Amino acid sequence: MGSTYGKIFKIATFGESHGVGIGVVVDGCPAGVTFDSDFIQSELTRRKPGQSRITTQRKEADEFEVLSGVFEGKTTGTPIAMVIRNEDQRSKDYSHIAAQFRPSHADYTYQVKYGVRDYRGGGRSSARETAARVAAGALAKLLLGELGISIQAYVSQVGTMKLEKSYQELDLSETENNAVRCPDPEMAQQMFDYIDTIRKQGDSIGGVVSCVVKGTPVGWGEPVFDKLHAELGKAMLSINAVKGFEYGSGFDGVLLPGSQHNDAFYTDEGGGVHTRTNHSGGIQGGISNGEDIYFRTAFKPVATIMQDQESVDQFGNVAIVQGKGRHDPCVVPRAVPIVEAMAAIVLADFYLRNRSSKL
């Protein structure tokens, strides 16, 4: 159950970081969606390792294979299976921690819960699993694109270095023009230099990925327990290293009185209803209101660092965990397409749920 998400547009991921490969089965995708293999591959390329010196140097092409559910370039309405073979796994890099619990990793909890764990890069708990989500998310993007919906994420903070501009003030087309994926070129260079310094120190740093969704119609989301923002929060918090989620005004909303925070409605010349402000983040009562949906996702510093750390082993003995292997000093540049993918999967599911609730 823990590897499946969605009510109608369902995804189930499989595989381990150092196994044969990873993959995803997407069930519930409507028939007739144009299956753009080049686009899906480009999304995987955005997430793949080895993109610059501030990312892990593991070399994976992350080329995917379609096993089912597509015929003559269109989805058939049956389960779509995609697999990505692992090519550059170095399991020996983890032999020294086979019995040790790495600080802030899932080693201890997996060992106690299951009585066994794959210590090679964390196995199922590895962020490599997110490549399968990106493949499924790319398919969801293709579906949403046919409805005129776009999803754009970007890095808005690394450590204490924070973009103070809102997404409306930024040229988001600049996001993919630098290794950090920050749409402000000057800040992007500062962030890159900072991450590189952290890398040379054998340390890591966290950051924030902001995301904006445009074109969502009114009415997506379910009352009470399946609110749209609640599902977006669940999806984001399911991503490795995520420690926080906020949408709309978020925690800063507590600084304003209701008279300033309320989003006043008005009718435009075409008769459409809009809000003059958007502190609600495009969602009211858990249902989309037609305005831009925007949210922020906080990522902790990567747990594996190239420094010795005190811990214990599975026998209760004191152990010194030595940092080895290939790891990102900051995860947020490669997390951008993952955030977009999970948002797309949530929205695709709500699109189909909303469609099925009407006569």
Side-chain angles (χ1 to χ4, degrees):
M1 293 295 292
S3 294
T4 302
Y5 178 80
K7 294 290 181 68
I8 298 180
F9 189 96
K10 299 179 182 180
I11 73 164
T13 68
F14 60 88
E16 294 81 33
S17 175
H18 287 245
V20 174
I22 53 177
V24 63
V25 176
V26 180
D27 197 6
C29 181
V33 177
T34 299
F35 191 87
D36 188 340
S37 295
D38 290 340
F39 174 73
I40 295 174
Q41 187 59 62
S42 70
E43 292 292 277
L44 286 167
T45 298
R46 293 173 66 211
R47 194 221 69 98
K48 77 175 185 178
Q51 297 182 36
S52 72
R53 68 173 182 265
I54 62 168
T55 64
T56 171
Q57 293 306 295
R58 179 169 174 169
K59 299 298 181 183
E60 296 283 358
D62 278 357
E63 295 180 351
F64 77 102
E65 305 170 44
V66 179
L67 305 183
S68 64
V70 178
F71 181 67
E72 294 183 341
K74 299 283 187 179
T75 58
T76 62
T78 58
I80 300 164
M82 293 178 278
V83 65
I84 303 162
R85 309 283 179 179
N86 291 329
E87 299 174 340
D88 190 27
Q89 62 270 52
R90 299 180 187 174
S91 300
K92 66 179 185 299
D93 287 349
Y94 298 90
S95 58
H96 66 292
I97 51 92
Q100 297 176 339
F101 298 138
R102 295 169 296 171
S104 287
H105 276 277
D107 299 343
Y108 172 70
T109 50
Y110 266 58
Q111 183 70 46
V112 173
K113 180 176 178 64
Y114 298 107
V116 62
R117 65 183 173 91
D118 185 346
Y119 62 83
R120 305 167 303 167
R124 194 70 186 130
S125 67
S126 169
R128 178 136 185 79
E129 179 268 345
T130 60
R133 306 189 196 197
V134 170
L139 178 59
K141 277 188 174 184
L142 291 171
L143 172 60
L144 295 171
E146 295 183 354
L147 306 173
I149 297 171
S150 66
I151 302 172
Q152 174 74 69
Y154 61 94
V155 173
S156 57
Q157 184 171 348
V158 171
T160 59
M161 304 178 70
K162 181 179 181 181
L163 277 177
E164 298 298 339
K165 298 177 181 177
S166 67
Y167 72 86
Q168 296 99 327
E169 301 172 275
L170 296 166
D171 181 359
L172 299 187
S173 67
E174 292 284 339
T175 300
E176 294 296 318
N177 292 338
N178 59 76
V180 181
R181 292 200 167 94
C182 173
D184 184 306
E186 183 177 345
M187 179 62 82
Q189 186 59 55
Q190 294 177 27
M191 288 176 171
F192 183 95
D193 293 341
Y194 180 51
I195 296 171
D196 200 30
T197 297
I198 289 290
R199 177 186 66 84
K200 292 174 181 176
Q201 295 171 352
D203 215 334
S204 65
I205 192 70
V208 174
V209 174
S210 295
C211 186
V212 57
V213 182
K214 293 180 175 291
T216 307
V218 182
W220 292 11
E222 303 295 333
V224 190
F225 296 116
D226 284 354
K227 292 180 170 69
L228 178 53
H229 60 270
E231 287 300 308
L232 284 170
K234 176 181 178 179
M236 298 307 138
L237 289 164
S238 76
I239 300 171
N240 308 62
V242 169
K243 301 297 284 185
F245 170 83
E246 61 176 1
Y247 77 102
S249 60
F251 285 96
D252 287 342
V254 305
L255 304 176
L256 300 175
S259 57
Q260 296 179 33
H261 190 270
N262 287 345
D263 296 320
F265 289 104
Y266 73 96
T267 303
D268 64 19
E269 294 180 356
V273 176
H274 297 281
T275 59
R276 297 192 183 281
T277 55
N278 190 19
H279 298 300
S280 299
I283 304 170
Q284 293 172 325
I287 299 171
S288 60
N289 67 0
E291 304 299 322
D292 292 347
I293 296 171
Y294 65 96
F295 59 87
R296 291 160 298 282
T297 304
F299 289 80
K300 71 175 182 177
V302 175
T304 298
I305 59 177
M306 298 300 106
Q307 298 178 14
D308 290 351
Q309 301 178 83
E310 184 175 327
S311 187
V312 298
D313 62 23
Q314 64 189 53
F315 308 107
N317 303 312
V318 174
I320 300 298
V321 176
Q322 297 178 323
K324 294 182 181 180
R326 300 157 295 174
H327 306 277
D328 295 85
C330 181
V331 73
V332 289
R334 292 177 60 216
V336 166
I338 304 169
V339 167
E340 292 179 1
M342 291 307 299
I345 290 166
V346 170
L347 289 167
D349 192 40
F350 271 117
Y351 160 60
L352 296 173
R353 291 169 69 177
N354 193 63
R355 191 175 69 171
S356 67
S357 68
K358 296 180 179 179
L359 294 177

